[in-house]
Amino acid sequence: MEMVPEEIDTPEIMVDRDVLERNISRMAAAVGSKGLALRPHAKTHKMPQIAALQLAAGAVGLTVATIGEAEVFAQHGAEDLFIAYPLWVGQRAAERLRRLSAVARIAVGTDSAEAATALGSALGEAAGRIEVLVEVDSGHHRSGTAPAETAAVARAAAAAGLRVAGVFTFPGHSYGPDMPARAAEDERAALGEAARLVREAGFEVQRVSGGSTPSAAFAESGAVTEVRPGVYVFGDAQQLELGRTRPEDIALSVAATVVSRHEGAGGIPRRIVLDAGSKVLGGDRPAWASGFGRVLAAPDARITALSEHHATVAWPDAEDLPALGTRLRVVPNHVCVAVNLVDSVAVVSEGRLVDRWDVAARGRNS
Amino acid sequence: MEMVPEEIDTPEIMVDRDVLERNISRMAAAVGSKGLALRPHAKTHKMPQIAALQLAAGAVGLTVATIGEAEVFAQHGAEDLFIAYPLWVGQRAAERLRRLSAVARIAVGTDSAEAATALGSALGEAAGRIEVLVEVDSGHHRSGTAPAETAAVARAAAAAGLRVAGVFTFPGHSYGPDMPARAAEDERAALGEAARLVREAGFEVQRVSGGSTPSAAFAESGAVTEVRPGVYVFGDAQQLELGRTRPEDIALSVAATVVSRHEGAGGIPRRIVLDAGSKVLGGDRPAWASGFGRVLAAPDARITALSEHHATVAWPDAEDLPALGTRLRVVPNHVCVAVNLVDSVAVVSEGRLVDRWDVAARGRNS
């Protein structure tokens, strides 16, 4: 995947099918060898074709973020879906969950007795068909309850007619530099206490679910029963800069063209401008990142500014600026948000365009 | 527009039609009173319905960022389109421009002799139907050539068979705090010099085009002939925090639900979590912004973290946390990228849902 195939108009997202398949196999083998279940997060790719590859490689089911994503993957044959989100459910959402539960095994998250009660009440007689995993805060301090509160949430869910299946967490603080090992330890401690307390409250804890892409490598049988990594299918510039993905394992990039070129002088910066802006790369930039993505062919180039349709790239002083019209591949900082910007991706293999896949679950925010 | 209408499932983008129409009228009157042409940037809204309101209020035409956006608005009847971007055009793009020029007046940007030559060559006999505006760098240091180089670019464009119509710039540095007046002065100086040099090279400079939303207020007849503001139709949290938009002029917000609620203790932050994350608000956050958007009903609340489907909101200590299930309206930091995330918006008037509009040009990145 060195070149941009001629058929591609820039900017467009390219997925290298061979690298993708290798990433999927590698994670499946690593998780399987530990005796854990793999339930990849499909919000990263939103594509039924990739979900099918993950399931064929041994994933037990899929994780999704919204009811809308669950609907898309169920329509494409997924039979076991976990909506890993603390849903607040009204009548319309409850009806959608009822319909989903008729065609697939459905689990959802909850992090308070109040939300669990509202969920059971909205679902009515269908509540017994929906599994609930209690969300625990393992240090990311986003959603999730304290481990000590999990048993109360489980009891409320059961009283509302729901099936309590276990506990889950998202150790989102694992994405920071030097954080994976510590976040994995936080995750293990929080899930361990939560699982113990829910078990002591009389529930069978079938599922203890954790694991971001960075912390999945630290997951152990006994501490968790399943992991939910997402980003590993593609990799991205964040993972690259943190040293957790090798350049040769990057499966997704944005094909871009040099549209403007300036040698710079008199305080005006030397730079090129690419036609891939925040409307295809996404605007995410953590404070520790070197820029708004990475140019694959130029490791020392820096994307210093990103507007909607322009990436401004400071080029290494020692290297000639690429010519106008040069096509380059840019790796987005955060691949999940880049994929969500496009309706389809170009699938390439050995440098040739072999297919286009629709991002079927794009924009399914609710 | 105080409330979120019951029919809306969160997260969803809401547009208040009455505020929108007021914003459109106000800008049209302000620009018209100076004797300038208004050519609003349609990348902000990407909706033919809003373009129609702008044209009905007196806009002379539309600005767009890509050929794909031009195609969508031309299909919906726009007759005068400026692709304000330094296009690098191959055969497929040239064919699309030829087709566009058969149904609408089309102008494009260019910022180098080489790109102008390539454009004319790719267009062949159709080159004479395409107007070119030479892009000048007025201090944003993105695309655009130095004013001193503009005449050479104009000559190359003419030699390639294109119609040289004038010069343009985007004073993007106007978006920083305390920058509008200075950026407007930079814009005036750069456009003035460029227009003079292109005129001295023997061209009739019919169009001198400038004006971001912040700098449009400083535009003057004599310095420019037209302005291209975009954000003014909706306003956003950036404009709000910079004091350039009043809360009552915000026409677009994201309806969101409180899905998680934590009083906080022992170092764990007091917070609520809303179901509007970066996949509907967009992830843009300038260094000077107070957070990742603003909660309209709670000016002192701060969106301290944003992940794809979660906004973590630090609530003012003096105020009770809103109950789970409460529906709030969040103003995105940068409205152009938020609109680009959704396929349609809910249109409201006096608190009632009155329509849904497709974001017809969403994702038209090339």
Side-chain angles (χ1 to χ4, degrees), chain B residues 309-333:
Chain B
H309 300 277
H310 304 72
T312 304
V313 188
W315 209 252
D317 287 338
E319 295 175 30
D320 290 342
L321 293 181
L324 283 165
T326 302
R327 285 146 69 97
L328 296 169
R329 290 168 53 210
V330 182
V331 185
N333 268 349

Side-chain angles (χ1 to χ4, degrees), chain A residues 293-318:
Chain A
R294 290 295 285 267
V295 180
L296 266 184
D300 296 325
R302 290 292 173 266
I303 303 179
T304 55
L306 200 66
S307 38
E308 288 159 67
H309 299 277
H310 304 71
T312 304
V313 188
W315 209 253
D317 286 338

Side-chain angles (χ1 to χ4, degrees), chain A residues 2-355:
Chain A
E2 289 306 302
M3 314 283 282
V4 176
E6 196 282 326
E7 301 94 322
I8 288 179
D9 290 325
T10 67
E12 182 165 16
I13 288 184
M14 295 165 61
V15 172
D16 187 309
R17 195 177 59 190
D18 309 312
V19 179
L20 171 76
E21 291 182 357
R22 202 166 67 213
N23 291 344
I24 288 172
S25 299
R26 186 189 297 120
M27 181 63 85
V31 173
S33 72
K34 297 182 185 180
L36 300 176
L38 176 61
R39 185 182 290 278
H41 210 313
K43 74 174 166 60
T44 298
H45 55 74
K46 297 174 182 281
M47 292 181 238
Q49 294 90 339
I50 296 181
L53 292 171
Q54 292 174 314
L55 292 166
V60 297
L62 299 175
T63 305
V64 295
T66 67
I67 296 174
E69 288 181 352
E71 288 167 339
V72 170
F73 288 104
Q75 280 158 18
H76 286 85
E79 296 174 342
D80 187 341
L81 293 157
F82 174 30
I83 306 172
Y85 194 85
L87 295 177
W88 183 265
V89 169
Q91 281 308 320
R92 283 189 299 271
E95 178 55 29
R96 294 166 69 193
L97 285 174
R98 275 193 287 270
R99 269 184 260 136
L100 272 172
S101 70
V103 298
R105 178 186 178 199
I106 300 293
V108 306
T110 192
D111 79 348
S112 68
E114 195 176 347
T117 303
L119 175 64
S121 166
L123 285 167
E125 291 188 0
R129 298 209 304 267
I130 304 286
E131 290 177 301
V132 164
L133 276 74
V134 179
E135 184 176 5
V136 191
D137 178 6
S138 56
H140 188 36
H141 304 326
R142 192 175 68 176
S143 49
T145 191
E149 305 295 327
T150 47
V153 179
R155 276 192 290 264
L162 298 155
R163 293 172 52 199
V164 175
V167 295
F168 82 107
T169 195
F170 174 64
H173 53 320
S174 67
Y175 285 85
D178 307 319
M179 289 300 288
R182 182 177 141 193
E185 180 52 44
D186 291 347
E187 177 183 16
R188 190 162 30 234
L191 284 176
E193 183 181 353
R196 179 177 61 78
L197 292 170
V198 173
R199 206 172 279 120
E200 286 174 8
F203 297 96
E204 187 186 349
V205 178
Q206 296 164 326
R207 288 165 66 182
V208 180
S209 177
S212 59
T213 290
S215 68
F218 297 88
E220 281 172 22
S221 173
V224 298
T225 64
E226 71 174 25
V227 293
R228 309 185 314 276
V231 171
Y232 75 96
V233 291
F234 298 135
D236 60 19
Q238 291 183 174
Q239 299 303 310
L240 199 62
E241 296 209 335
L242 292 170
R244 296 180 201 145
T245 297
R246 301 175 302 173
E248 60 267 36
D249 293 332
I250 294 288
L252 183 147
S253 58
V254 176
T257 298
V258 178
V259 296
S260 187
R261 181 183 186 278
H262 305 274
E263 289 292 352
I268 296 177
R270 182 169 184 263
R271 67 198 188 277
I272 60 168
V273 176
L274 296 170
D275 61 359
S278 66
K279 279 181 173 167
V280 65
L281 287 169
D284 283 26
R285 185 188 171 174
W288 46 262
S290 73
F292 292 91
R294 290 295 285 267
V295 180
L296 266 184
D300 296 325
R302 290 292 173 266
I303 303 179
T304 55
L306 200 66
S307 38
E308 288 159 67
H309 299 277
H310 304 71
T312 304
V313 188
W315 209 253
D317 286 338
E319 296 175 29
D320 288 343
L321 293 181
L324 283 165
T326 302
R327 285 146 69 98
L328 296 169
R329 292 167 53 210
V330 182
V331 185
N333 269 349
H334 183 186
V335 76
C336 309
V337 299
V339 171
N340 189 50
L341 292 163
V342 299
D343 292 322
S344 66
V345 299
V347 184
V348 301
S349 175
E350 296 178 353
R352 290 202 310 278
L353 179 71
V354 293
D355 207 348

Side-chain angles (χ1 to χ4, degrees), chain B residues 2-332:
Chain B
E2 289 308 302
M3 312 284 281
V4 176
E6 196 280 326
E7 301 94 322
I8 288 179
D9 289 325
T10 66
E12 182 165 14
I13 289 184
M14 296 166 60
V15 172
D16 187 307
R17 195 176 59 190
D18 309 312
V19 179
L20 171 74
E21 292 182 356
R22 203 166 66 212
N23 292 345
I24 289 172
S25 300
R26 186 189 297 121
M27 181 64 84
V31 172
S33 72
K34 296 182 185 181
L36 300 176
L38 175 62
R39 184 183 292 276
H41 210 314
K43 75 173 165 62
T44 298
H45 55 72
K46 297 173 182 280
M47 291 181 238
Q49 294 90 338
I50 296 180
L53 292 171
Q54 292 174 313
L55 292 166
V60 296
L62 300 175
T63 305
V64 295
T66 66
I67 296 174
E69 288 181 353
E71 288 167 339
V72 170
F73 288 104
Q75 280 158 18
H76 286 85
E79 296 173 343
D80 187 340
L81 292 157
F82 174 30
I83 306 172
Y85 194 83
L87 295 178
W88 182 266
V89 168
Q91 281 308 321
R92 284 190 299 271
E95 177 55 29
R96 294 166 68 193
L97 285 174
R98 275 193 287 270
R99 268 184 261 137
L100 273 171
S101 70
V103 298
R105 178 187 179 198
I106 300 293
V108 308
T110 192
D111 78 348
S112 67
E114 194 177 347
T117 304
L119 175 64
S121 166
L123 285 166
E125 291 189 0
R129 298 209 305 267
I130 303 287
E131 290 177 301
V132 164
L133 277 72
V134 179
E135 184 176 5
V136 190
D137 178 6
S138 56
H140 189 34
H141 304 326
R142 191 175 69 176
S143 49
T145 191
E149 305 295 327
T150 47
V153 178
R155 277 192 290 263
L162 298 155
R163 293 173 53 199
V164 175
V167 296
F168 81 107
T169 195
F170 175 64
H173 54 318
S174 66
Y175 285 85
D178 306 321
M179 288 300 288
R182 183 179 140 192
E185 180 52 42
D186 291 346
E187 177 182 17
R188 190 161 30 234
L191 284 175
E193 184 182 354
R196 180 177 60 78
L197 292 170
V198 173
R199 205 173 280 120
E200 287 175 9
F203 297 96
E204 187 187 348
V205 178
Q206 296 164 326
R207 288 164 66 181
V208 179
S209 177
S212 60
T213 291
S215 68
F218 297 88
E220 281 172 21
S221 174
V224 296
T225 64
E226 70 174 26
V227 293
R228 310 185 313 276
V231 171
Y232 74 97
V233 290
F234 298 135
D236 60 21
Q238 292 182 173
Q239 298 304 310
L240 200 61
E241 295 209 335
L242 292 170
R244 297 179 200 146
T245 297
R246 301 175 302 174
E248 59 267 36
D249 293 332
I250 294 287
L252 182 147
S253 58
V254 176
T257 298
V258 179
V259 296
S260 188
R261 180 182 187 278
H262 304 275
E263 289 292 352
I268 295 176
R270 182 169 183 263
R271 67 198 187 276
I272 60 167
V273 176
L274 296 170
D275 61 0
S278 67
K279 279 182 172 165
V280 65
L281 287 169
D284 283 26
R285 182 187 173 175
W288 46 262
S290 74
F292 293 90
R294 290 295 287 267
V295 180
L296 266 183
D300 297 325
R302 290 292 173 266
I303 303 179
T304 55
L306 200 65
S307 37
E308 289 160 65
H309 300 277
H310 304 72
T312 304
V313 188
W315 209 252
D317 287 338
E319 295 175 30
D320 290 342
L321 293 181
L324 283 165
T326 302
R327 285 146 69 97
L328 296 169
R329 290 168 53 210
V330 182
V331 185

